[in-house]
């Protein structure tokens, strides 16, 4: 794979790259509709493949928040066309890497020395490259290490990237009113946190220490003295990415063991720590030969405030969902229903969220849940497709729901998909044995 000697960082450079991508996508549509006139039976599969490839090619050289969007979309398997899922999933750990000279320059700037002066050995070629940074292998004092290096200019381009995306997102999700800004600010703040490796080091040590007693779950050790705001040094962990493991695993027992560890990890964080690893994609987890789950990235941690946590999980209780008075109360507490809603909006969104919550909270309705259940995920896909075609929904004010929904829902959606990939059968109450 080719390497990069520079990354576009100015607003004009990045906007130009996105504009060129938009032109390519427009050309794909023209070709598709022209061909469809001649061949009415033509499906959108080729169009989706061409668009996915052109969009991904446009984003992968931009890195940062632009590529992070593709990474987040690749988790959305129930709604996104498969061509997009396949292509965008590459952004999790397989994109063009920085060239060796640019890597050495980054070390000199942020640790004051070149890598060969710090480590006993250092591989100039990256092992993995993703949206925010890339990983190199090194050794020091007999230890094998993983060195994560952040791409230059990533933090500086976040605000301008979001400014480019904002008009599109506002139209796509029909956001109205001044308080829609809270959603963009939440995304911007979390992305900026992900570019702060000093913060990530602190979060990594805190999380791994807090969750160390969970069975079949492992973490690397981190080295503050070999880290900085743009460089992070940790133990090298042997294993394959979760998506690579699930591609060949036919042992249901292994899937159950790993799925239970994953479920316990997330429920312990959510219900005890009240903060959670909010980036559950396959590139952030390894599987070792002893069937242990290894969590290797804590850049995105979402704190869950009590005023959100309580009503959010109360709505996982069928007794509350099915009690109209209590249901309405929780909907207002979570800002799903608004005081300025019209009677039509109130009726519509009560019905929509009743259906959504009744489906999405099913794993919490019993002591066990089988995440290999294709019917459950098929219902999610069907509902998602229905909402994308709902003309009434597009007329409603889409600006609703607490800002905390963005990362908490993303966390659960990603978690469900990982458990589905593992075909895991989970004891949903098992995490409680780790609670103080």
């Amino acid at each position: 794979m080719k390497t990069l000697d520079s990354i576009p960082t100015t607003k004009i450079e990045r906007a130009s790259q996105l504009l060129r991508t938009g032109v390519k996508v427009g050309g794909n549509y023209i070709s598709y509709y022209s061909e469809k006139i001649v061949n009415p039976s033509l499906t959108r599969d080729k169009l989706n493949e061409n668009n996915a490839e052109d969009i991904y090619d446009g984003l992968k050289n931009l890195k940062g928040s632009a590529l992070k969007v593709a990474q987040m979309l690749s988790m959305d398997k129930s709604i996104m066309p498969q061509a997009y899922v396949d292509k965008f999933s590459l952004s999790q750990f397989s994109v063009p890497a920085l060239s060796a000279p640019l890597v050495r320059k980054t070390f000199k700037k942020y640790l004051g020395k070149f890598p060969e002066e710090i480590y006993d050995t250092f591989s100039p070629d990256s092992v993995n490259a993703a949206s925010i940074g890339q990983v190199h292998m090194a050794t020091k004092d007999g230890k094998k290490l993983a060195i994560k290096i952040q791409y230059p200019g990533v933090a500086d381009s976040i605000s301008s990237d979001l400014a480019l995306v904002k008009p599109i997102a506002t139209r796509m999700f029909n956001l109205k009113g001044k308080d829609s800004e809270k959603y963009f600010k939440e995304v911007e703040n979390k992305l900026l946190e992900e570019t702060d490796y000093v913060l990530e080091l602190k979060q990594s040590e805190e999380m791994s220490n807090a969750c160390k007693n969970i069975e079949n779950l492992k973490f690397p050790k981190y080295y503050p003295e070999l880290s900085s705001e743009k460089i992070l040094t940790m133990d090298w962990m042997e294993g394959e990415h979760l998506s690579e493991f699930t591609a060949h695993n036919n042992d249901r027992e292994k899937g159950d063991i790993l799925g239970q560890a994953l479920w316990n990890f997330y429920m312990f964080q959510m219900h005890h720590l009240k903060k959670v690893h909010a980036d559950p994609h396959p590139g952030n987890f390894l599987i070792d030969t002893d069937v242990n789950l290894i969590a290797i990235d804590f850049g995105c941690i979402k704190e869950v405030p009590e005023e959100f946590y309580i009503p959010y999980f109360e709505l996982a209780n069928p007794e509350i969902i099915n009690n109209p008075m209590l249901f309405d109360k929780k909907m207002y507490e979570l800002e799903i229903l608004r005081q300025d809603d019209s009677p039509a909006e109130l009726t519509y969104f009560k019905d929509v969220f009743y259906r959504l919550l009744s489906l999405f909270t099913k794993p919490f309705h019993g002591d066990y849940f089988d995440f290999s259940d294709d019917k459950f995920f098929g219902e999610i896909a069907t509902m998602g497709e229905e909402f994308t075609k709902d003309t009434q929904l597009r007329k409603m004010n889409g600006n609703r729901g607490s800002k905390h929904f963005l990362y908490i829902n993303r966390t659960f959606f990603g978690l469900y998909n990982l458990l589905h990939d593992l075909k895991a059968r989970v004891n949903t109450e098992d995490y409680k044995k780790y609670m103080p």
Side-chain angles (χ1 to χ4, degrees), residues 13-29 50-62 66 84 88:
E13 286 176 324
R14 295 176 78 79
S16 298
Q17 177 75 57
L18 291 172
L19 182 61
R20 287 195 292 273
T21 301
V23 170
K24 287 183 180 179
V25 169
N28 293 339
Y29 274 99
N50 290 339
N51 282 346
E53 182 155 356
D54 287 336
I55 292 170
Y56 177 69
D57 286 345
L59 295 180
K60 69 184 181 184
N61 290 339
L62 290 176
Y84 288 87
F88 289 0

Side-chain angles (χ1 to χ4, degrees), residues 121-393:
T121 64
F122 180 85
S123 171
D125 298 320
S126 73
V127 180
N128 289 320
S131 56
I132 302 281
Q134 64 188 45
V135 177
H136 291 251
M137 188 188 295
T139 60
K140 188 174 178 67
D141 301 330
K143 292 181 180 177
K144 198 173 179 182
L145 303 172
I147 321 299
K148 188 159 81 167
I149 304 165
Q150 189 175 130
Y151 304 127
V154 164
D156 299 332
S157 64
I158 286 172
S159 296
S160 59
D161 279 358
L162 288 178
L164 292 169
V165 170
K166 192 181 295 184
I168 301 167
T170 300
R171 286 194 299 273
M172 186 181 295
F173 298 108
N174 204 26
L175 300 177
K176 299 173 184 175
K178 293 179 181 177
D179 60 338
S180 64
E181 185 63 28
K182 67 186 178 186
Y183 304 119
F184 297 104
K185 205 66 190 169
E186 174 79 348
V187 172
E188 182 176 0
N189 289 340
K190 297 313 293 179
L191 287 171
L192 284 170
E193 285 179 13
E194 287 192 65
T195 66
D196 183 351
Y197 282 4
V198 173
L199 176 63
E200 181 173 344
L201 175 68
K202 178 174 177 286
Q203 292 175 162
S204 302
E205 291 183 319
E206 287 177 353
M207 279 292 190
S208 54
N209 185 58
C211 302
K212 65 185 177 183
N213 293 325
I214 297 174
E215 294 168 78
N216 302 108
L217 183 64
K218 292 171 66 177
F219 307 93
K221 179 184 176 183
Y222 294 83
Y223 298 90
E225 70 279 10
L226 300 174
S227 303
S228 72
E229 62 266 40
K230 304 297 179 187
I231 296 168
L232 192 59
T233 299
M234 67 194 84
D235 282 339
W236 180 270
M237 306 299 283
E238 297 291 347
E240 57 183 339
H241 287 290
L242 191 147
S243 56
E244 296 167 337
F245 172 82
T246 56
H248 66 72
N249 179 54
N250 294 312
D251 188 331
R252 288 297 301 276
E253 186 179 350
K254 286 183 179 179
D256 290 344
I257 290 169
L258 293 164
Q260 191 66 61
L262 188 64
W263 177 266
N264 289 347
F265 176 48
Y266 271 91
M267 293 307 106
F268 179 79
Q269 292 175 83
M270 190 70 74
H271 296 298
H272 176 56
L273 302 179
K274 298 296 196 309
K275 53 185 176 182
V276 67
H277 178 288
D279 198 8
H281 67 74
N284 281 341
F285 294 97
L286 300 176
I287 313 295
D288 71 12
T289 53
D290 295 323
V291 199
N292 289 306
L293 183 75
I294 307 169
I296 56 173
D297 189 307
F298 290 93
C300 184
I301 299 294
K302 171 62 184 171
E303 296 204 13
V304 190
E306 202 76 9
E307 66 271 16
F308 178 83
Y309 170 85
I310 292 172
Y312 186 85
F313 283 99
E314 284 180 332
L315 281 174
N317 183 346
E319 291 181 10
I320 290 180
I321 292 177
N322 293 315
N323 182 316
M325 189 177 294
L326 290 176
F327 180 72
D328 286 3
K329 183 174 183 289
K330 300 305 166 190
M331 293 277 281
Y332 277 109
E333 286 178 24
L334 291 168
E335 304 171 45
I336 294 168
L337 297 181
R338 301 162 50 97
Q339 297 297 334
D340 59 349
D341 279 338
S342 67
E345 284 175 321
L346 287 174
T347 300
Y348 180 82
F349 282 109
K350 283 182 192 180
D351 176 63
V352 164
F353 279 90
Y354 176 81
R355 292 174 57 208
L356 275 171
L357 289 163
S358 297
L359 177 58
F360 275 94
T361 60
K362 275 186 178 180
F364 296 93
H365 294 174
D367 294 343
Y368 286 88
F369 194 80
D370 185 351
F371 282 94
S372 69
D373 182 4
D374 287 330
K375 182 184 176 186
F376 173 65
F377 287 89
E379 288 174 354
I380 292 175
T382 300
M383 191 177 290
E385 188 175 346
E386 179 188 329
F387 289 146
T388 59
K389 295 177 180 177
D390 189 339
T391 55
Q392 187 179 358
L393 180 59

